[in-house]
Each structure stands twice: as structure tokens, then as C-alpha cells.
Amino acid sequence: MNDFSRRKLLKATAVAGAGAVVAQGVTTAEAHGASAVNEPPKHSKCPPAKLTGRIVRPDNAGYTEARLGWDQLFSHYPLVIVFAQNTQDVVNALTWSRQNDVAVRVRSGRHSLEGWSNVDNGLVIDISELKSVHIDSAARIATVGAGLSQLEAVTTLAEQNFAVTTGTEGTVGLSGATLGGGFGFLTRWLGMACDSLIGAEIVVAEGDECAKVVKVDPHNNQDLLWALRGAGNGNFGIVTSLTYRVAPLKSVTYVQATWTGIGDLRRIFDTYQRTAPYFDDRLGTQLEIHRNQIFLFGVLAEGTPAEAKKLLDPLLSIDSPQVAVQVGNWGDVYAGFQIPTADEPANWKFYSQFTRKPFPSKAIDVIVSFMQDAPTDDSNFFAQAFGGAVRKSPRGGTAFPHRDALFYSEPGAGWGTRSEEPGVCDPLTPQAQAWIAEFSLALRPYVDGAYVNVPNVGMQDWETAYWGSNFDRLRTIKAEYDPHNVFKYEQSIPPAS
């Protein structure tokens, strides 16, 4: 992470009405050829659909940029990409795909870590340009377009001294993070991101060839709201807006500690896992291990540097780490620790896992051994403490099942240089993929479950790894809202028979 650099914040536009703020996304002119190319099949049960919005096809300028995701390990060539400008564009695109028997995928922040938000010879419905924001400060409710990134959401809410839980990566799509569960530095204080989700607008398949808009809240389609809270990533429909209950947050204290080398890793990790899940609930932390450095990051909501250092003293007293402290608005702090995508490796592979009991010394030895042999400096192992508000499910419940975990952890391999024409023959790829697969396998006796936002295509029993005993209920809800299994990908939820 970068030390406290500042980035330009997304500005909201004030409108009439006490306590209300609106920020409208930039409208982009339609690309040429923004219309359907084929006639729908005969006996269509709804009017023939035409593609609308900003449309990019293989022969358009900008197609390469439009098709690439954040993780360039995956490269797909869709037939057409629709950048929706409003909800009707999404309805039109979904209807068109069904009438023309074209596979469809949904995309927002382009961080699908197995490349499943893209598809060869199919239709990608990209909702990243749906960026409207409405904040009712009196009611403490925010309704946002599903195209916001996490950085845009954090900074816009912070301008009004509000917050919801998000992940730490600013370029990740807010909707994708939330719909898979969502956790970060505010999790122990505010709960999962999906816990604050109290409503959504979602486009679902209707009948044999059509699409419609469905409103979801605690009083309407409550079963779908439950499912969207932890299993909503492209399984039931296309979410176009999200409504959150937001929390007041005026100031945070951000602490970053850095140890040179990993000689103290055993002591640091064991201390972390035995203290961080039990800190004051306002303190969220992440321990990040590289082959030549160890980082500790902490965010204390509405707290002082003295409080933060006292809480973190069991860790900060190990050896003599370099410690930096910043106090300020959460949006400023969050923007300051972002790393530009251009400075990150092109290729990434992760394995997600939850831990319900502290790692024994043998497990910590596994981390030491593999990190000493990491393929690149960017490759890492990180842990993020749970506990606190994570253990409290919101009214109506959620599909996210891992609330009793002590911490979440994740080995990750990052390698390669970004390019406008990425290839799949990076010479380091076999080594990096073998390293992380063996690392994950060695830790398997000590971990449980997996995180749907960090999937793995080779995972066995992924259904229960992601959702535990909730999977059968999710299949029943899938059968109600998507009986024809329109929203289908490699690890999507199938409808109940």
C-alpha cells in the first residue's frame, strides 16, 4: 500500500431538500451501431428487443480496452458489450440475449477473479456506468447505482460523514463486493457489507424470452433480499441499484506498521490471530506478509492515535516496526492507500479460506516456508480479523454463512506486466500457479470454507464451501426467480428441480 497519498475524490452535487445529496454518473454517447443485429425468433412472447446504451463490438475502436478485466490471466472475446446507461438498457440487453439465444454475463468492476464476468461469443452487460447516488442524511439511507466502485462509494459517503463496509481495493465494484458478502476495515464495527443492504433494484428474466425489473426490500421479495446478501453475484439477475443503511463516521485513525524481513513472522502471526479478533469492535485490521516484508494495517473508527497504538501494542511491541499514523476523514484515508492498477501485476491467482480455530505452529510454519519461496515480491499471504459485528446477522438474515470465523486469510500470487494485448504465455505462470496451489493444499487441514468473491474453478464441493447449509435454500430461490437458469456460469447456483 502507498503511504497516505491523496487521490481526487468523487464529488457529489447538492440538490434541494434537507439532508439529500445526488451525484449523477457521466453520460456517455452511444457508440455507432447501437442497435440489434438479428431478428428475434418467431413466436416471441415480448416485443423484439434492440440493444441500447453504449455498445462496443469487436470492430469498434476501444474493443480491447472494453473487454479486458483487472486480472489479465483471463482473456475473453465477447460478441458485444453493452455499457448500460440506465435500467432500461439492462432490460433491453437481457431480453435481446434471450431472444437471440446468446449467452450473457454481468460485469461491474471487472474484478471477477476467474474471469466469469466475461464470455467468448456472448453478451456482456456492463453496469459500471450506473453511478447515481442519493443520500438521505436524516434517514441515514443511501441509494446508489450499481456501477460505483468501492473508492467512489467510500469517498462520496465520507463527504457527508457516512460509511458502509467495503473491501480495501478501491477499483473493485461496490455491487459485486456487497452481493458476495463484503468485508474490510469497518467489518468488525459495522458488520458485512451485505448486512447494510436493505434494498435493491434487479432485472430478472421473465417468461421464455423477456426481462423485467423487480424491487427488493424487507417488505417485497424478502427471500431474494436474503439471497442477494451473500449470493447475489450474477446468480438471480442484474442488480442496477442498491440501498444501504449507512452509519455516521466523522474520523478514523489509520495505522501502518512495517517489519523488514520475515524473521519475526511466527511470533507476529500468532499474536495477531490471538488478539485481533478480540480488539475493540471499532478496530479493523489486516496482516499482510510478503517474502521480504510484513505489514500491519489498522483502522480505528472514531478513535485517537493513542487509543489505536494502545490496542495494537501486543503487535507493535514485537521487534521495532516502522509505524506511520494518519487521522482524518475516512474517504481521504481510504483514497490514500490505493495502488494504481497500472502499478499492479497483470496476473493474479488467489485461494480463499476461513479459520475458526487459531493456527497451530505447524500451520504458521507452512506460511513461513511458502512465503520464503514466493515467486514475486507482490505475492503475499494476508489475514483479516473477524469477530465483533460480523457475528450479528441483520434483520431478515443473509446467505453469507461464515460469521463464526476468527479470521479470513488468502494466499495470492501476482506476476507479469500489464499490456493492452495480454498473452497467456508469461514464463512465470507455471511457477506462480504451482506455488499457490501447493500453498493452499498445505493449509487445507487448518482452514474451512471459501469466499464466493474469491472463487476457484478447481474447488471441490464449492457449493458448501461458499454457502454451507444455505445452498438448498438458494437453489429454491433460484428456481423462483430464474427457473430457466439464464444466469449461468461455471459455479453459478442451479435452480432446484
Side-chain angles (χ1 to χ4, degrees), residues 402-441:
H402 307 290
R403 295 184 179 275
D404 59 343
L406 280 179
F407 59 86
Y408 169 86
S409 63
E410 183 181 294
W415 71 99
T417 303
R418 293 188 174 272
S419 168
E420 292 183 359
E421 292 292 344
V424 293
C425 299
D426 189 295
L428 199 57
T429 296
Q431 177 187 342
Q433 290 187 322
W435 175 81
I436 192 169
E438 293 168 5
F439 194 172
S440 175
L441 183 64

Side-chain angles (χ1 to χ4, degrees), residues 103-159:
V104 64
R105 297 291 173 90
V106 187
R107 189 178 73 178
S108 178
R110 306 197 195 189
H111 277 257
S112 176
L113 297 179
E114 287 287 4
W116 294 336
S117 65
N118 207 337
V119 60
D120 291 322
N121 300 314
L123 168 65
V124 173
I125 302 177
D126 188 299
I127 50 106
S128 64
E129 294 177 7
L130 301 180
K131 294 187 182 295
S132 62
V133 177
H134 179 273
I135 302 171
D136 185 334
S137 58
R140 296 182 179 176
I141 291 175
T143 298
V144 303
L148 287 186
S149 69
Q150 292 189 137
L151 175 63
E152 291 167 336
V154 169
T155 53
T156 301
L157 289 173
E159 287 178 344

